[in-house]
Amino acid sequence: MTTTTAYPPLRRSRSDRMVAGVAGGIAEHVRVPAAAIRVAFLVLLAAHGLGAVLYAVYWAVMRDEDSDVPVRREPVKMVPYALLGFGILVVMTLLFGGDGISLAAGWLLALVVLGGGLIWHQAEPGRLTKLTGLLGGDRRPAFVLSLLGGGLLVAVGIIGLATLYSPVEGPSLSVVGFAVVFALIALTGVGVVAAPTLWRTATALRAEKEGRIREQERAELAAMIHDQVLHTLALIQRNAADQATVTRLARGQERSLRNWLYKPMGSAEEYFAAAVEEAAAEVEDTFAIAVETVVVGDRMVDDRIRALVAATREALVNAARHAKVGTVSLYAEVEPDEMSVFVRDRGVGFDMSTIDDNRHGVRGSIVGRMQRHGGRAEIRSEPGEGTEVRLHLPIGTSKETA
Amino acid sequence: MSGDTSQPVPTESEPSRLRVFLVDDHAMFRAGVRAELGVHVDVIGEAATVPEAISAIAAHQPDVVLLDVHMPEGGGRAVLEATRRAYPQVRFLALSVSDAAEDVIGLIRAGARGYVTKTISPEELAAAIRRVADGDAVFSPRLAGFVLDAFAARPDASLADPELDQLTNREREVLRLLARGYAYKEIAKELYISIKTVETHVSNVLRKLQMSNRYELSRWAADRRLV
């Protein structure tokens, strides 16, 4: 024998279940065929519904096998309930034949127990913790429906029993009335007891959900600070003597934090403003200068606009290389019919007439590039006064502006 | 230095030194600004919280208040709203580490006379304080950019009050030059107008910003996912 001698724990079976796996679970536990247990339950039903009572009690008490696996209740699963009800009816009729009252009584008792079991089952703590999904929405109706259904079964059963066993001979209207009141009081009592617990659980679950979201945000922030800020600070400490490096690191970090905090911007591949800022950031990092960037308006990037960004970058690089200043101004504006970029420094400046025709930086990369794409570039500079590069690109109004 | 501290720099051309009050919840930053500004103006006090600032401004009535945007209990905006009407002679200059458009525009709309970022040099800050005290508006290039954005011509921009809600071409031109990093003097030269005219245009822009249609501006902010 390879099987263990110990009996398996008493759990509701998942694999072998017709209603809730009670019979299957018991059968596994005591090692008898499940069919025998089922027959036993059905026979016990005859004793004024004892089978149903027992079944419900076992159901309520026994834990689900693998209770981590969420229980999906589909409408198909309700078919065994219907079959069970029908079976009860058939067996009772066979056993008690003519005696209408005790037959009906047993049937009603079974109904009460079934309803109670249903409510109990739904209110089970393990099940309540799975409510998160229900609060989310899609399973809430099912939950409410089964609670209501359970309540209805209990109410109908109690009313029926009270009517049957009333001291007055035969069912009468006033007895039904009393029974209704009685059932309502009973249900209200159950409701009063259960409602605060249910409500509290729901609130706790909602709070937990919010807490989780907050925790997630905090973790994201912590990761960002760890990856960027702390590393930058460490680098700054190690390079404390090197003024230029410290400034460059601090500036890069400031920019990245600012973007993270204030600018949910599009990607540089798609949007002009993002592309311009990216070019400015690159020049800031490469040449250790500050680029004071102001962009007004935005637009999707196309080939011509990409050329404008490239020319802008070249103008920034020129200013960083030759102007001998710490700060360069960059102003870009998107208007309905034209895009303009101004790159200005207050540096040494130069005399335009002294610039060689074969200086590629200005002639090719800026002026030529703008002309090739239907725009124009203008450079104003005076020795000692600084330089301003003005780029203009006419655009059609048909394209999407963002 | 033992005795009189009221005239530490006798060579200062200014007849009387400006009385400046600092409102910022970062003690380190206050100390830094105080040290840097000390040679240019009199820093008569500082406050770290909104209620502290409100009562101190009422008590001292400084010439210029340097106001941080982000503070607990409502920030600079709460200070402005509580004191601006009661003490119209007190000028406010927003000084912030934030360059989020809605912070900046929000403070200007609440009545600040200008806005500078905390990376500004001490000399520039002192000059800005002086300009604000003289009744001018102080626009950084970035603020000019935000204002241009806020007043950007929209197809349906003429909704409410066209007089107030639009900038004249000249005002737009001045703002553009400001955004391009030009000084007032350079703008005057570029546009062949006097510096005084430039200042008038800038003041008008500020007034329009403070009085312009709230709906338009809030929609502008919403369009940009700022609020």
Side-chain angles (χ1 to χ4, degrees), chain A residues 26-37:
Chain A
I26 294 175
E28 215 171 298
H29 182 65
V30 297
R31 295 197 178 139
V32 284
I37 304 289

Side-chain angles (χ1 to χ4, degrees), chain A residues 39-124:
Chain A
V39 169
F41 269 119
L42 283 180
V43 170
L44 283 173
L45 263 181
H48 288 257
L50 184 59
V53 179
L54 278 177
Y55 195 92
V57 170
Y58 273 118
W59 187 358
V61 171
M62 282 161 71
R63 294 231 327 268
D64 204 9
E65 182 184 76
D66 298 326
S67 42
D68 314 340
V69 183
V71 184
R72 290 287 328 176
R73 300 186 150 270
E74 286 121 30
V76 188
K77 295 262 176 70
M78 294 308 283
V79 171
Y81 284 86
L83 286 177
L84 186 69
F86 186 67
I88 293 170
L89 205 60
V90 169
V91 170
M92 296 294 243
T93 318
L94 284 178
L95 289 179
F96 294 97
D99 191 348
I101 294 215
S102 67
L103 162 66
W107 201 76
L108 288 167
L109 189 66
L111 214 60
V112 172
V113 167
L114 215 63
L118 204 59
I119 295 177
W120 182 276
H121 186 55
Q122 290 292 10
E124 177 193 327

Side-chain angles (χ1 to χ4, degrees), chain B residues 157-171:
Chain B
S158 54
L159 268 177
D161 193 342
E163 290 275 321
L164 273 179
D165 277 347
Q166 275 169 31
L167 302 178
T168 64
N169 283 339
R170 204 48 144 180
E171 285 162 356

Side-chain angles (χ1 to χ4, degrees), chain A residues 136-374:
Chain A
D138 64 320
R139 291 184 67 199
R140 189 203 297 262
F143 179 73
V144 172
L145 268 183
S146 63
L147 273 189
L148 281 181
L152 198 67
L153 287 179
V154 173
V156 168
I158 289 175
I159 293 167
L161 281 176
T163 314
L164 283 175
Y165 288 109
S166 65
V168 187
E169 272 311 307
S172 78
L173 212 61
S174 64
V175 173
V176 173
F178 277 124
V180 166
V181 172
F182 179 61
L184 278 180
I185 289 171
L187 275 182
T188 313
V190 170
V192 165
V193 172
T197 316
L198 277 175
W199 180 250
R200 220 175 303 124
T201 315
T203 315
L205 283 168
R206 207 176 299 124
E208 189 201 307
K209 197 175 177 184
E210 279 168 14
R212 232 188 359 255
I213 291 171
R214 219 171 293 128
E215 179 58 29
Q216 215 169 347
E217 274 173 7
R218 203 198 65 82
E220 207 174 295
L221 178 67
M224 199 272 306
I225 287 177
H226 171 263
D227 290 349
Q228 301 190 6
V229 183
L230 290 183
H231 284 163
T232 305
L233 287 176
L235 281 172
I236 286 177
Q237 285 177 50
R238 295 165 63 127
N239 295 287
D242 183 350
Q243 169 94 50
T245 306
V246 168
T247 311
R248 190 173 55 77
L249 285 168
R251 189 178 292 129
Q253 185 58 67
E254 187 193 341
R255 187 179 54 237
S256 112
L257 267 179
R258 270 185 199 294
N259 285 341
W260 198 80
L261 287 171
Y262 302 123
K263 271 187 215 146
M265 277 205 316
S267 87
E269 303 296 312
E270 293 169 304
Y271 288 99
F272 172 70
V276 165
E277 304 220 5
E278 192 186 69
E282 240 177 75
V283 173
E284 276 193 342
D285 284 346
T286 315
F287 296 95
I289 59 157
V291 180
E292 202 168 69
T293 311
V294 178
V295 183
V296 172
D298 205 352
R299 195 186 161 89
M300 297 293 279
V301 165
D302 60 22
D303 278 348
R304 297 176 66 222
I305 293 173
R306 219 164 275 133
L308 176 65
V309 174
T312 303
R313 194 180 177 287
E314 198 55 37
L316 286 172
V317 168
N318 275 341
R321 271 213 190 109
H322 307 297
K324 300 185 175 68
V325 285
T327 308
V328 177
S329 296
L330 165 59
Y331 174 68
E333 184 171 9
V334 180
E335 288 170 285
D337 52 347
E338 190 182 60
M339 300 173 77
S340 320
V341 175
F342 303 88
V343 175
R344 179 190 160 90
D345 66 70
R346 293 159 182 287
V348 292
F350 57 90
D351 187 348
M352 284 296 286
S353 58
T354 64
I355 295 294
D356 221 0
D357 269 4
N358 55 21
R359 276 287 299 278
H360 287 296
V362 175
R363 294 263 177 265
S365 301
I366 300 178
V367 181
R369 183 182 267 137
M370 289 308 293
Q371 279 167 354
R372 274 199 301 284
H373 290 90

